[in-house]
Amino acid sequence: MPTTEHRFAAVDLGASSGRIIVGEVAPDRLTLHEAHRFPNRPTRVLGTLHWNILSLYQGVLEGLNAAAAHTAHNRLTSIGIDTWAVDYGLLASDGTLLANPVHYRDTRTTGAAERVAAAIPPPALYAATGLQHLRFNTIYQLVAARGTPALAAAHRLLLIPDLIAYWLTGEAGTELTNASTTQLIDPRTRSWSTQVADALGIDLSLFPPLRNPGSPAGHLLPDVLAATGLPHPTPVTAVGSHDTASAVVGVPATTPDFAYIATGTWSLAGLELDAPVLTEASRAANFTNELGVDGTVRYLRNIMGLWMLQECVRTWNAEHTRGAGTDLTALLQEAARATPLRSVVDAGDPAFIGPDHMPDRIADACRRTGQPVPRTPAETTRCVLDSLALAHRRAIEDAARLSGRTVRTVHIVGGGVHNTLLCQLTADACGLPVVAGPAEAAALGNVLVQARTAGAITGGLTDLRALLHSTQPLRQYEPTGDHSAWDRAAARLGDAQVTGAATGQGDEEEPCA
């Protein structure tokens, strides 16, 4: 890498892997280098699904060591951490981790939504927090954990990125963008909602003080310096620690009239706003008001995302279906030639949340709505991608209608930018140009907040995005085909479509990018 003064390490932990990415930043330059990647493999123990948090932390240490080896004099200007949302670790008074963090996919929250609704009705909960109903939001996890020995003994609760930061620095804090996914933050005041916490008997003193993105989060401890080869002092900077918050910073928009879709295992589609939308219509549409960087609100809906295709491929590989999954490029080429919009399913249906038998569940959904059942992996793949594009369209149209905003461009960031068929179908469905890229939006957003804090660059989000637009490879897709065909496909789902249809308890969708 060329030598410059400022290099930043982005610790970016996702649901299936973790990465340490080094960003080199100057006022007119922004480059990334992946220093280390490692798997994230949850483990089920005695019926409970846990994160292997110590393994993840070891991966972080090894990654920072690799990052040091790629920098002049083993020096990093700072380190920032972003991860998935809602999950947490509990610490004893001496800082000891009391138990491995539980995975948000675990079934322990079954029935918690009903208990929460009995204490605070869903309309009141939404008015107070602006968060869509997700069965594994932190409040449901805490209600489900009530009475357990670990929670009873806990002195401190740290969300996953804050836990990693604590182990690196010995200093505890609660970063605001991720805190907003707990359903315990008032998005108007950007502080804790004592109303919700008191109604549910949640002790807010478990959380350390809130931190804003750009705030200092301590310096690496001596044992961390020894493990990583980094010199003293190496600071840790709070970034948008919910990976979607960092990904939205990484949207290379040049005008304010844009929508974004952060893609990967999940799709998070919506708008960046200055204030939350807390109307009953917004709650009924199951939109969330998560907090973003620089006082913004991420007004978005969670969509199942490429998880559906990933699970199909895994099933086909396990069944040794001819060619399916072993060559994704060939599968997507076949899907591009398949009949468009032959069958579509609701990509927000909770039936698709769990693993296993995804092709069968897609086939069942087609039968329920009276549509042709996909016969081949290519037809199933085309069904998934058409359905995702349709869900992207609906989310963006609903977000614009509910917020009173106009959308003229859609930005797709994250892993989905590599799926050219999905990008084109999204442009066709939305009837709007789609700008695809960058794929590493979360890491870029992480690095940009660090760089601004360190003084390597200056300005607001508009300036950060201008740097992205001028330095990152982007591809534009223009809408093609018969736009009314998408209207007819949406009508086929009709009342069977549950995306955004809250019924008091709401839909059960994923919280993470």
Side-chain angles (χ1 to χ4, degrees):
M1 296 176 61
T3 300
T4 63
E5 184 178 354
H6 292 286
R7 292 184 178 87
F8 305 89
V11 177
D12 182 25
L13 303 185
S16 59
S17 67
R19 298 154 325 142
I20 310 299
I21 294 180
V22 176
E24 185 173 318
V25 183
D28 59 351
R29 182 168 26 155
L30 175 57
T31 60
L32 295 184
H33 168 79
E34 183 177 296
H36 184 56
R37 181 183 291 265
F38 49 95
N40 182 358
R41 298 192 183 100
T43 300
R44 193 172 298 279
V45 180
L46 298 177
T48 299
L49 188 63
H50 294 274
W51 297 103
N52 283 323
I53 194 67
L54 295 181
S55 176
L56 291 175
Y57 181 63
Q58 181 62 32
V60 170
L61 294 178
E62 292 170 357
L64 292 176
N65 183 274
H70 284 89
T71 61
H73 308 296
N74 291 354
R75 184 175 296 279
L76 293 169
T77 303
S78 81
I79 299 163
I81 303 158
D82 68 80
T83 80
W84 66 92
V86 306
D87 292 334
Y88 58 85
L90 296 171
L91 304 183
S93 57
D94 63 354
T96 303
L97 183 67
L98 292 169
N100 261 355
V102 178
H103 195 298
Y104 59 79
R105 284 187 191 275
D106 187 73
T107 58
R108 69 172 177 161
T109 54
T110 301
E114 290 77 13
R115 294 160 64 186
V116 169
I120 179 168
L125 181 59
Y126 190 84
T129 66
L131 226 63
Q132 69 190 112
H133 174 86
L134 301 167
R135 63 173 178 169
F136 20 55
N137 284 347
T138 312
I139 60 167
Y140 301 115
Q141 295 196 38
L142 289 172
V143 167
R146 187 175 294 151
T148 61
L151 185 57
H155 173 74
R156 188 68 81 202
L157 183 154
L158 295 177
L159 299 169
I160 297 299
D162 300 321
L163 178 61
I164 298 296
Y166 173 69
W167 283 340
L168 291 176
T169 67
E171 296 189 23
T174 306
E175 192 279 317
L176 184 60
T177 70
N178 208 25
S180 73
T181 72
T182 63
Q183 213 160 0
L184 287 166
I185 291 285
D186 184 331
R188 296 157 298 194
T189 63
R190 302 177 79 86
S191 59
W192 297 112
S193 172
T194 55
Q195 170 197 354
V196 173
D198 290 347
L200 299 177
I202 293 173
D203 181 5
L204 290 177
S205 70
L206 286 170
F207 293 89
L210 291 169
R211 289 172 173 157
N212 286 306
S215 299
H219 292 80
L220 297 187
L221 292 167
D223 65 312
V224 177
L225 296 173
T228 61
L230 289 164
H232 178 77
T234 298
V236 175
T237 301
V239 297
S241 71
H242 183 201
D243 50 13
T244 307
S246 280
V248 173
V249 173
V251 172
T254 57
T255 60
D257 51 1
F258 71 93
Y260 59 81
I261 308 172
T263 61
T265 303
W266 318 111
S267 286
L268 298 103
L271 308 178
E272 183 175 75
L273 303 179
D274 296 327
V277 179
L278 302 176
T279 62
E280 179 60 16
S282 180
R283 184 189 77 85
N286 212 25
F287 269 82
T288 202
N289 293 270
E290 296 170 354
L291 300 183
V293 172
D294 287 4
T296 58
V297 172
R298 292 175 284 129
Y299 187 60
L300 60 88
R301 177 186 290 155
N302 285 34
I303 299 164
M304 211 61 64
L306 287 167
W307 158 257
M308 296 171 68
L309 181 56
Q310 293 163 355
E311 279 297 294
C312 285
V313 169
R314 189 173 69 82
T315 298
W316 293 327
N317 280 338
E319 295 173 350
H320 306 291
T321 301
R322 178 190 60 80
T326 57
D327 186 346
L328 184 58
T329 299
L331 182 62
L332 291 172
Q333 290 172 347
E334 288 185 57
R337 294 190 295 268
T339 303
L341 298 170
R342 178 173 179 266
S343 303
V344 290
V345 299
D346 178 14
D349 191 332
F352 301 125
I353 286 179
D356 302 325
H357 312 295
M358 186 66 74
D360 291 340
R361 282 182 277 154
I362 291 169
D364 288 343
C366 291
R367 289 190 193 96
R368 288 197 305 270
T369 51
Q371 300 178 89
V373 173
R375 299 161 299 186
T376 66
E379 288 185 354
T380 299
T381 299
R382 184 56 186 255
C383 174
V384 168
L385 296 181
D386 281 344
S387 301
L388 289 180
L390 196 63
H392 291 166
R393 178 181 95 146
R394 185 176 183 189
I396 290 168
E397 289 180 347
D398 287 350
R401 172 178 54 83
L402 292 164
S403 65
R405 291 277 296 274
T406 299
V407 175
R408 291 188 171 87
T409 305
V410 177
H411 284 266
I412 293 181
V413 298
V417 307
H418 299 302
N419 191 318
T420 57
L421 179 55
L422 177 61
C423 294
Q424 183 61 60
L425 292 174
T426 298
D428 297 344
C430 294
L432 293 169
V434 164
V435 178
E440 302 292 353
L444 284 162
N446 181 323
V447 164
L448 285 170
V449 170
Q450 292 186 68
R452 187 176 61 178
T453 301
I457 53 177
T458 60
L461 290 176
T462 299
D463 303 291
L464 303 188
R465 288 167 175 155
L467 179 60
L468 286 168
H469 191 270
S470 66
T471 60
Q472 302 306 303
L474 307 173
R475 179 174 177 180
Q476 184 155 322
Y477 297 80
E478 296 294 337
T480 61
D482 178 11
H483 189 64
S484 64
W486 293 93
D487 297 332
R488 294 191 294 272
R492 263 185 272 150
L493 293 180
D495 292 338
Q497 193 167 36
V498 298
T499 302
T503 58
Q505 297 307 311
D507 298 320
E508 298 177 340
E509 297 170 336
E510 293 292 340
C512 312

